[in-house]
Each structure stands twice: as structure tokens, then as C-alpha cells.
Amino acid sequence: MKKIIPILIFLLINNFSYSQSYLTSEVISKAEFYLKEAVGVELFKYFTLAPHSYYHYKNKKGKSKWREISKGKKTRGTFVDGKNINFVLNHPDFSYPYVRKIVYVELNSDLELIHDLYIDQIPKFLLENKPSNWLTEDQLDQIIKNQNLKKISSPLTKRLNFDSKMKSYYWIVWNTLYEEEYFSDEEILHIDAVTGVVLKHFEERQYFIHCY
């Protein structure tokens, strides 16, 4: 009997150590702390927790499960990690569609950062808490006009894009020259979003993905 008691105590302690759970508010607060450290107090004010932020846990049977961090007061089962906790940047000077505005804060089982936050896609002027130094819409339109694009009846298409290698933004401008059901011939410009330098000016046939 004396030998059984220490074994039971060991099993209880062992089980407790492997069934770690947290208040969901604690996990969110910890993620917010790391985000604030990375982007600064001022810019942090413009971030909100994304609606689909999940944590990974294991139930009593050891099966992996995922659950939204905003649901429930406490995390379920054994907390494994919070690799899918992310925040969305909603800044009035960065309201462009189609650009990445999400920052992932990946936490391990002890709520420590797994690796540094990827924030390269956030414009420098925002990180430095400075006014925007990007081209205005009027300035961009004037640069496009100066390129003497081929005259086409259809309107131009403009989209902001991020170059992950150069860590800079540029505008892609499409001037559709000819279009059929499966492809279109485009005159394309790449324009630096800060300096206004025309990086590329070329023509290309583009095929529509839905046709394959």
C-alpha cells in the first residue's frame, strides 16, 4: 500500500502537468503583448483579433482538436499551441484591397513565441508612426498617363502588390488590349508605390484560371 501511494501521486502530478489549460483571455492577452512589442503601441491600436483565430489542444483521448480562441472562458483539454492566432490591421492609410493585413502570433504550449512575428508587409511609415509617403491616387494616375499607353475603350485595372523579396510595394496596372473567353492580352505597368518609378512596362498574354 505504501508503494502504491507514491505511484498514484506521481501519476496525478504527471497528468496535471500534461493537461495544461489557460483562460482564453490570458492567451489573447499574451498574443497582444507580443504584437504590441513588434509593431509599437500606436500602431497596435489599429489591430483587432481575427474572427478565425484557433488554438490547438488534445482531448482526454489524446486526439488533436482545434477551437476558436474567442470561444469559452477557458481553453479545452491539453493546450498544445496557438499557431493560428492572428490579428488584422485596420488602418485608414492602409485600406487597400487584396493586400495582406494579417499578422500571426504563434505561441507554444507555455504561451511563448515560437518565432518572431512576420511584419515585413506593414508599410514602414506605419511602423515608424509617420504620415504616409506613398503616391496619392492623383499622382499615380498622372504617372500612368505619362506612359502613353495604347488607347483602349475598357478602363484600366490597378492593384497594389507586395514584393516579398524586395520588401516593398508596387502598383500593377493592367491595360487590356484584347480579350476572349480564355485569355486576354495585357499592357502592364509596375510602379513603385513610394517613388513612382516605373519598374516594368511590358505586354503579356494572360490565361484565365477557370478555363483549366
Side-chain angles (χ1 to χ4, degrees):
M1 184 66 180
K2 290 181 179 179
K3 291 182 179 180
I4 295 175
I5 292 174
I7 294 173
L8 289 173
I9 293 173
F10 172 78
L11 290 173
L12 286 170
I13 293 173
N14 190 58
N15 184 62
F16 178 78
S17 64
Y18 283 97
S19 59
Q20 188 173 15
S21 63
Y22 299 98
L23 294 173
T24 52
S25 59
E26 181 183 2
V27 179
I28 295 171
S29 178
K30 198 70 173 179
E32 289 176 338
F33 169 78
Y34 291 122
L35 177 62
K36 191 181 297 183
E37 275 197 329
V39 304
V41 177
E42 290 302 317
L43 187 57
F44 171 76
K45 298 175 184 177
Y46 295 94
F47 280 92
T48 56
L49 181 68
H52 300 296
S53 289
Y54 296 90
Y55 66 93
H56 175 200
Y57 72 95
K58 288 188 177 181
N59 61 17
K60 292 181 179 179
K61 295 181 179 180
K63 191 174 182 179
S64 290
K65 297 279 186 178
W66 286 264
R67 182 174 170 83
E68 283 191 38
I69 190 63
S70 58
K71 290 185 176 180
K73 292 183 179 180
K74 199 172 183 180
T75 60
R76 291 183 174 181
T78 303
F79 188 92
V80 178
D81 60 59
K83 289 185 178 180
N84 289 292
I85 297 174
N86 55 92
F87 296 83
V88 181
L89 176 59
N90 297 293
H91 196 285
D93 292 335
F94 192 53
S95 58
Y96 307 95
Y98 310 116
V99 294
R100 177 189 170 103
K101 299 176 185 177
I102 292 178
V103 175
Y104 282 84
V105 182
E106 300 185 25
L107 305 176
N108 62 19
S109 59
D110 295 318
L111 303 187
E112 298 171 340
L113 272 182
I114 294 175
H115 54 69
D116 292 339
L117 277 61
Y118 181 81
I119 57 173
D120 291 347
Q121 78 282 10
I122 300 177
K124 288 183 179 179
F125 73 86
L126 290 180
L127 291 171
E128 295 172 356
N129 193 28
K130 295 179 179 179
S132 174
N133 61 341
W134 283 18
L135 297 172
T136 64
E137 189 173 350
D138 288 342
Q139 288 173 328
L140 177 62
D141 289 341
Q142 186 58 52
I143 292 170
I144 295 170
K145 186 178 180 180
N146 292 342
Q147 303 313 304
N148 296 316
L149 300 181
K150 295 179 179 180
K151 293 182 179 180
I152 302 297
S153 58
S154 59
L156 299 175
T157 302
K158 295 175 287 186
R159 177 172 171 176
L160 190 65
N161 196 49
F162 181 65
D163 186 330
S164 58
K165 290 183 179 180
M166 300 300 294
K167 297 182 181 180
S168 61
Y169 279 94
Y170 63 95
W171 285 98
I172 303 178
V173 182
W174 289 276
N175 182 29
T176 303
L177 306 176
Y178 178 76
E179 186 173 7
E180 287 195 5
E181 184 179 359
Y182 302 116
F183 69 88
S184 65
D185 291 329
E186 305 284 346
E187 182 178 15
I188 303 172
L189 293 175
H190 288 186
I191 302 173
D192 187 282
V194 177
T195 65
V197 171
V198 178
L199 305 172
K200 291 182 180 180
H201 185 178
F202 60 101
E203 292 184 19
E204 182 178 83
R205 173 163 290 183
Q206 298 188 337
Y207 294 89
F208 304 135
I209 295 175
H210 69 268
C211 297
Y212 291 94

